[in-house]
Amino acid sequence: MEPPVVLSRGKYSFLVERFEGSLHTHHGIIKLEELKKKDYGDEVRTHLGVKYRILPFKPSDFFRHFKRGATPIMPKDIGAIIAYTGLSPDSLIFDAGTGSGVLAAYLAYFNKYGEVVTVEKRRDFAEIARKNFETAGLKNIHQIVGDALFVADGLRAEFDLVVLDMKDDVEFIPKAREILKAGGYAVVYNPYIEAARKIYLEMERNGFKELEAFEMLRIDLDIKRVGTRTSTRVWHTGYIVIGRKLG
């Protein structure tokens, strides 16, 4: 067993990247050296005797345990992007607006034989994302710090997928079509419905086809002894606009 690992107990979980020192939890202190003698699925106790389960660090942990700078795209939206664009494991992807790197990490993980080029204007966000990629052990991500439009102007590659989560997304649409392969997709994520409309219309003007604009809602269930009902909390996060370059 090699780090990183996740120590889990119900709603509490901790990412451990080094098996040295101590981890202070809500249930006491865990001596991390003890993990060296353990396997996945084993338990480790705090000094108060409370048990935590040792689990491998998986892509499902990216969203929960990655360090954050910018607010990341939610897993429900990432799943929609992957499904609606038919992401294949040998894709070349351009990701504008790295943020904390959550989306880029998922795209890279499910694109094992391809590459992700991710661009972030803010150096502090890019540094957080770099550390997250290292934690996840992802080797097929190429990070660039700079302006996405300027970077794209210097590229000679053709991409299978272009994803935008950035300011000035409308202005980038013509360039997105230019750098896409025939049959490739452009996806724009934006938290505002007025912006989503502008993006849709700009895609239409630039010849994108198979256009779709939608939001993904997550509604949790409250399951109690007396019965089950939908939660009053509705997980709205943003709008997704997708277009395809057909030729």
Side-chain angles (χ1 to χ4, degrees):
M1 184 178 69
E2 296 292 337
V5 300
V6 173
L7 301 183
S8 178
R9 179 181 173 82
K11 66 179 181 179
Y12 298 101
S13 65
F14 300 91
L15 177 65
V16 177
E17 299 183 59
R18 294 188 304 274
F19 293 171
E20 58 186 35
S22 299
L23 174 67
H24 293 253
T25 77
H26 298 77
H27 305 104
I29 301 170
I30 297 173
K31 293 182 178 179
L32 297 178
E33 290 85 354
E34 294 181 16
L35 299 178
K36 296 177 182 178
K37 307 171 186 176
K38 303 284 188 178
D39 292 319
Y40 297 129
D42 289 349
E43 293 177 330
V44 63
R45 295 175 183 266
T46 71
H47 79 290
L48 298 177
V50 179
K51 297 176 182 178
Y52 274 76
R53 185 76 63 181
I54 304 169
L55 301 174
F57 180 61
K58 294 287 189 179
S60 54
D61 297 305
F62 290 172
F63 183 81
R64 178 180 292 185
H65 291 293
F66 270 8
K67 295 178 176 63
R68 297 187 184 183
T71 302
I73 297 179
M74 294 281 287
K76 66 181 180 65
D77 298 313
I78 294 171
I81 291 170
I82 291 172
Y84 277 85
T85 63
L87 178 67
S88 62
D90 58 351
S91 300
L92 183 58
I93 301 170
F94 185 86
D95 170 46
T98 311
S100 301
V102 173
L103 174 60
Y106 278 107
L107 294 175
Y109 182 85
F110 292 108
N111 184 32
K112 288 189 179 297
Y113 307 110
E115 296 179 331
V116 177
V117 177
T118 184
V119 183
E120 173 57 54
K121 183 179 290 186
R122 288 186 52 169
R123 190 170 296 277
D124 54 339
F125 287 172
E127 181 61 19
I128 291 170
R130 183 187 66 78
K131 292 177 180 177
N132 286 334
F133 299 150
E134 289 179 355
T135 296
L138 296 167
K139 307 296 186 183
N140 57 336
I141 299 180
H142 304 279
Q143 268 193 285
I144 301 174
V145 179
D147 178 78
L149 189 57
F150 179 81
V151 170
D153 277 336
L155 295 174
R156 295 294 176 264
E158 288 187 317
F159 292 84
D160 299 286
L161 173 62
V162 173
V163 186
L164 309 179
D165 178 17
M166 53 176 273
K167 294 180 179 178
D168 303 323
D169 45 16
V170 174
E171 288 77 6
F172 196 91
I173 296 302
K175 179 58 66 175
R177 192 181 193 286
E178 181 183 323
I179 65 176
L180 275 171
K181 294 178 182 177
Y185 288 90
V187 179
V188 183
Y189 175 87
N190 196 294
Y192 301 108
I193 195 168
E194 300 91 345
R197 172 182 168 83
K198 291 179 181 178
I199 293 159
Y200 184 99
L201 295 175
E202 185 65 18
M203 281 189 172
E204 197 171 47
R205 280 191 289 270
N206 280 270
F208 281 95
K209 305 299 182 182
E210 300 180 13
L211 288 164
E212 298 182 81
F214 55 89
E215 65 174 321
M216 302 294 295
L217 296 178
R218 168 177 162 171
I219 303 175
D220 291 339
L221 297 180
D222 287 334
I223 300 175
K224 300 179 179 178
R225 183 178 300 175
V226 296
T228 303
R229 64 180 182 180
T230 56
S231 171
T232 55
R233 180 171 59 178
V234 178
W235 291 87
H236 162 77
T237 47
Y239 301 93
I240 298 171
V241 185
I242 300 177
R244 194 175 192 186
K245 177 181 176 179
L246 296 184

